Amino acid sequence: MKFRSLHVDVSKDSYNYNEEDDEDILGIIDYGIKVHIKNKSYSIDPLDPSNPMVFGIGPFAGGIVIGSHRIVFIFKSPVSMGIHVSELGGAGFAFFRTGLDGVVIEGKSKDPSIITIYSGDKGDYVKIEHIKEEELNNIYNNYEGYKGTRALTQYIILKDKENIIKNRARVIVVGPSAFKTRFAGIFSYVLDEHNAKITSVSDSASRGGGGTVLAKGHNVVGIVVGGTLRRNNPNLGNIKIMNEISQNIYKKQYMPTLLDKTVKYRFDPNMKTGGTFGVNYVHYKELVPYLGYNNIYYSRGVRLILHDKIIENYWKPFQENVFDGGKLTDASKNCGEPCSVSCKKIYKGTKIDYEPAHGVGPISGIITMDESANLVNLLDDLGLDAIEAGHLISWIFDLIDKGLLNPEEVGLDDYPVFDPERLSKETSIKNANLARKLIEYIVFDENNKILKIISERGLRAAAKEFDDIYKERVSKIGIKYEDLLVYAPFGKEGYMTPNYYWSPGVLAPMYVLGKYWTDYSPSFKEPEDYASLSLKRAIFEYIVANAGFCRFHRGWAEELMSYMYKEMLNVNKDLYSHGLKMYKMIADYQLRSGAEPEYWESKKVMDIVASLAAETGITGWEDTMYHREKLKNWWERFYNKLNQELNK
């Protein structure tokens, strides 16, 4: 496999192409890890201009294989302080026509820059344009009726609309939050291919602060990719190969297999709903985390009552609008590639996925769908990681509720409602209004001391600083600020807030968290068993992401992938062994960065794990809520087993 990359130095407005044939590069993450190790980025600050931003696609993009068109970003994270991977759905369908496999951005532009990359029969086209900071801020504030990321997207479109349409390009941007916080994402909107109009479907590579790396590290605010090239491997377009592989494994052809394995994300006729939002609330029920994870402390009866409120006020309006009460409608869209799963669910013009909506939904005491959808739009406009934003909002609400902060100290004029019994439509609207203020203040209020510490230093460091600033409150109430924050610590400074699942796996000592590279089921197991299971899940997730696949296709792709590499790419490798080797390289990188997993610091995190042990009734662990030494023993045994597996 040959890997063709473009290296851009925005400090010099220069670029060069590179082509290499490396048997250890089977996909874009492999290449990203190689670049980072070569550049020794583990020894520098994540926002240093020499910290490369690597992004690209997998080797199957551009063919008939559905779900293989994600753009994957690999960077040293200003959140975890280690290497991180984040994916952007569908945009690889434009990227593959550049003729590239990957792009590396280094250096820092003097003025905000926009990189355009096209390729066609007449050759390659790369352009680096600059705009003044004042003009950028004016665009973010309002451009053609849009704000934030949408405004910048529209600005880029109107500057080069004819070529964007001709090259079927995708515009990738960061929002204003990328210059103000450590946890901004990278955003892209699906464009109407006929007139380049922004549609209601967005996607983002949000976790880990990749948008902050682009903006603060490189002063890059926009990337345009597209072209007219096609990949020259005829096997990628040969449906017979996929049918034969699928027939051998699943005893049916490729498309029936794909549709069967992705039913949850499209529409499940048995549940009469679909997508992560539609399914998760009815599947996990009272095991969904609500109110800053405080429902772990409630009895099952109270959790069920709370769940019923959420179903009635939150899930049902979505269900009635998107699925017309229980049938598949045209409110299901795809992410920009012609994918039959159509996992993007559009509620009144807003794309709703479980975790972004949940962050400005039930985790923050917001249980009315319209308010949540409006806040999702706000987060997209600002370019913020919605999962991180949800943890931030719910943490501040919880701090106010417990008396560790006063509302006016964070610019609020009222108290949020964080009591499950008082939660209602009315209090939900009130919480949504307070959440909107917090989101806007965290990006735009330079004078609020509390929020500025959070935005500049991140949640973990902020919590520890608040312990010192308000030590009298800590002493009086008996709770530290980090005790109410849900996060896994990495090294001295790094951390990662988890995806919204009540599971030890999302907080366990894995080398990459904030993704699904772990077991995230609501279960509890012996630490050695859980470590082996989580590592296995991480390796399979790595294999899928490395090949540029959407994880919603993992149900069939994991089984077929090795055969696809062999029959379509003539690469005969043990993919699991390869993934294990690469994960070990990530682990080594994290250790060199000083971003290795550390034992939990937050009481609530310990309680999340201990309460699930009690909930599942695993013999020997059900009383860990009252025996912290058992929890530490579980963590240490998990971590030791993980490292034993990696060092075999």
Side-chain angles (χ1 to χ4, degrees):
M1 284 177 57
K2 284 185 167 50
F3 194 96
R4 185 169 185 254
S5 59
L6 174 71
H7 291 242
V8 181
D9 186 338
V10 291
S11 67
K12 301 175 182 177
D13 283 357
S14 64
Y15 61 91
N16 64 279
Y17 290 93
N18 184 49
E19 190 170 297
E20 53 192 300
D21 195 347
D22 187 331
E23 65 177 13
D24 281 334
I25 298 177
L26 303 185
I28 181 59
I29 307 179
D30 295 345
Y31 180 71
I33 292 170
K34 178 180 177 180
V35 168
H36 276 277
I37 290 174
K38 181 181 178 181
N39 286 37
K40 298 182 180 179
S41 64
Y42 47 77
S43 64
I44 60 177
D45 186 89
L47 300 181
D48 190 292
S50 57
N51 172 27
M53 171 59 77
V54 184
F55 64 97
I57 54 174
F60 300 98
I64 49 84
V65 183
I66 296 172
S68 63
H69 294 89
R70 290 173 86 74
I71 289 182
V72 185
F73 294 83
I74 306 98
F75 53 94
K76 186 175 184 181
S77 165
V79 178
S80 72
M81 307 302 284
I83 203 165
H84 196 73
V85 177
S86 194
E87 298 110 283
L88 179 66
F93 198 67
F95 187 101
F96 85 84
R97 288 189 290 273
T98 64
L100 297 167
D101 298 295
V103 175
V104 181
I105 298 175
E106 294 177 290
K108 185 170 184 177
S109 174
K110 182 180 178 182
D111 295 311
S113 60
I114 299 167
I115 304 169
T116 300
I117 306 167
Y118 294 144
S119 288
D121 297 335
K122 296 181 180 179
D124 302 319
Y125 172 87
V126 179
K127 187 175 183 180
I128 304 169
E129 298 176 277
H130 303 279
I131 56 177
K132 294 297 182 182
E133 183 180 341
E134 183 180 357
E135 183 182 5
L136 176 64
N137 288 331
N138 289 336
I139 292 167
Y140 281 146
N141 287 334
N142 192 334
Y143 186 84
E144 296 283 321
Y146 293 103
K147 289 184 179 294
T149 56
R150 289 179 178 89
L152 182 56
T153 301
Q154 182 71 356
Y155 168 83
I156 293 171
I157 290 169
L158 294 186
K159 278 182 67 69
D160 198 23
K161 187 173 182 179
E162 184 178 335
N163 278 320
I164 283 175
I165 294 172
K166 175 187 173 183
N167 290 284
R168 300 173 69 186
R170 191 77 177 247
V171 179
I172 300 165
V173 298
V174 301
S177 69
F179 291 95
K180 302 293 181 64
T181 76
R182 298 184 74 88
F183 35 83
I186 301 167
F187 285 71
S188 182
Y189 297 87
V190 175
L191 307 181
D192 185 291
E193 64 179 31
H194 301 295
N195 57 24
K197 184 179 179 181
I198 298 171
T199 72
S200 57
V201 179
S202 64
D203 214 312
S204 64
S206 286
R207 303 251 60 199
T212 303
V213 172
L214 272 179
K216 287 188 174 183
H218 303 293
N219 213 4
V220 172
V221 298
I223 302 166
V224 184
V225 293
T228 57
L229 291 181
R230 298 197 68 82
R231 287 193 160 177
N232 57 12
N233 181 350
N235 288 339
L236 292 179
N238 192 341
I239 190 65
K240 289 183 179 180
I241 295 176
M242 287 303 297
N243 282 335
E244 288 173 3
I245 294 172
S246 182
Q247 193 73 45
N248 288 337
I249 302 299
Y250 290 113
K251 309 307 177 189
K252 53 186 172 185
Q253 293 194 330
Y254 168 56
M255 280 307 298
T257 296
L258 182 151
L259 292 172
D260 179 56
K261 297 291 185 178
T262 57
V263 65
K264 165 186 174 180
Y265 304 105
R266 184 177 64 260
F267 178 76
D268 187 338
N270 295 319
M271 300 180 77
K272 298 188 184 302
T273 190
T276 53
F277 186 98
V279 170
N280 279 7
Y281 290 107
V282 291
H283 176 72
Y284 291 105
K285 296 181 179 178
E286 81 282 1
L287 296 179
V288 174
Y290 301 135
L291 297 175
Y293 279 81
N294 285 339
N295 60 319
I296 65 169
Y297 301 113
Y298 308 155
S299 68
R300 185 167 185 266
V302 172
R303 294 203 310 265
L304 285 170
I305 291 171
L306 180 56
H307 176 71
D308 287 345
K309 289 183 181 181
I310 289 159
I311 289 294
E312 186 64 31
N313 297 294
Y314 195 61
W315 182 85
K316 278 187 177 179
F318 167 89
Q319 180 72 4
E320 290 165 1
N321 186 277
V322 174
F323 292 108
D324 195 15
K327 59 178 183 256
L328 186 61
T329 69
D330 62 4
S332 294
K333 310 290 183 183
N334 60 49
C335 63
E337 67 166 290
C339 174
S340 51
V341 176
S342 298
C343 65
K344 305 301 179 188
K345 311 306 178 187
I346 310 301
Y347 173 84
K348 297 183 179 180
T350 299
K351 186 210 69 171
I352 296 293
D353 290 320
Y354 164 64
E355 294 196 279
H358 196 73
V360 281
I363 203 77
S364 297
I366 300 163
I367 62 168
T368 42
M369 192 67 243
D370 286 352
E371 280 67 35
S372 182
N374 288 335
L375 290 171
V376 167
N377 276 326
L378 175 62
L379 291 173
D380 284 359
D381 282 343
L382 296 176
L384 272 175
D385 172 8
I387 295 176
E388 184 86 349
H391 280 285
L392 187 159
I393 295 163
S394 60
W395 178 49
I396 290 178
F397 282 4
D398 208 10
L399 290 171
I400 294 171
D401 188 63
K402 301 292 192 301
L404 285 166
L405 279 180
N406 298 315
E408 60 272 14
E409 290 174 328
V410 287
L412 303 183
D413 55 5
D414 204 348
Y415 285 81
V417 174
F418 238 46
D419 180 346
E421 293 186 15
R422 292 176 56 208
L423 204 58
S424 64
K425 283 185 179 181
E426 292 71 27
T427 60
S428 172
I429 293 169
K430 175 183 176 180
N431 285 346
N433 290 332
L434 296 174
R436 173 173 288 275
K437 290 180 180 179
L438 275 181
I439 294 167
E440 292 175 341
Y441 293 161
I442 202 78
V443 177
F444 298 120
D445 190 347
E446 295 282 345
N447 298 316
N448 188 292
K449 180 177 71 172
I450 299 294
L451 299 181
K452 192 170 184 180
I453 291 170
I454 294 171
S455 63
E456 291 183 349
R457 301 200 57 195
L459 298 179
R460 181 191 181 194
K464 292 181 177 299
E465 189 162 341
F466 298 158
D467 285 341
D468 186 54
I469 294 172
Y470 301 112
K471 52 190 172 188
E472 290 183 5
R473 295 181 191 178
V474 171
S475 177
K476 179 181 178 181
I477 297 171
I479 302 173
K480 292 182 177 179
Y481 284 77
E482 66 263 31
D483 282 337
L484 301 181
L485 181 62
V486 181
Y487 69 101
F490 289 93
K492 293 181 180 179
E493 299 178 21
Y495 73 97
M496 188 59 66
T497 51
N499 300 50
Y500 294 124
Y501 291 87
W502 187 1
S503 169
V506 298
L507 293 158
M510 300 291 289
Y511 284 100
V512 177
L513 286 177
K515 299 176 62 59
Y516 294 99
W517 292 15
T518 184
D519 176 76
Y520 60 97
S521 62
S523 59
F524 192 89
K525 300 176 182 66
E526 291 292 326
E528 290 79 12
D529 294 339
Y530 210 136
S532 296
L533 183 65
S534 295
L535 178 60
K536 183 177 181 181
R537 185 70 252 141
I539 300 309
F540 277 115
E541 294 279 353
Y542 181 97
I543 292 167
V544 168
N546 190 43
F549 271 82
C550 167
R551 68 181 303 274
F552 290 177
H553 288 269
R554 70 192 183 281
W556 62 267
E558 287 176 7
E559 293 291 329
L560 305 188
M561 192 73 75
S562 62
Y563 302 98
M564 290 163 58
Y565 268 96
K566 184 177 180 180
E567 300 299 327
M568 290 183 147
L569 304 174
N570 198 30
V571 173
N572 190 9
K573 274 225 174 189
D574 182 335
L575 294 185
Y576 190 85
S577 295
H578 175 77
L580 191 63
K581 179 176 76 172
M582 299 310 295
Y583 192 88
K584 174 66 163 55
M585 290 176 70
I586 289 175
D588 290 342
Y589 181 100
Q590 312 298 51
L591 290 167
R592 288 184 180 190
S593 294
E596 70 279 8
E598 295 284 347
Y599 183 61
W600 301 310
E601 300 169 337
S602 162
K603 178 181 182 298
K604 187 179 286 186
V605 167
M606 297 178 197
D607 290 346
I608 288 169
V609 179
S611 61
L612 195 62
E615 185 80 14
T616 52
I618 302 298
T619 303
W621 300 100
E622 62 270 44
D623 60 348
T624 52
M625 183 78 80
Y626 309 102
H627 296 281
R628 294 299 191 203
E629 71 279 1
K630 283 191 174 183
L631 271 183
K632 189 163 188 180
N633 177 255
W634 188 93
W635 189 99
E636 289 173 343
R637 285 168 56 185
F638 183 111
Y639 193 39
N640 288 338
K641 177 64 175 178
L642 177 71
N643 289 318
Q644 286 172 16
E645 295 277 338
L646 289 176
N647 290 318
K648 280 182 180 178

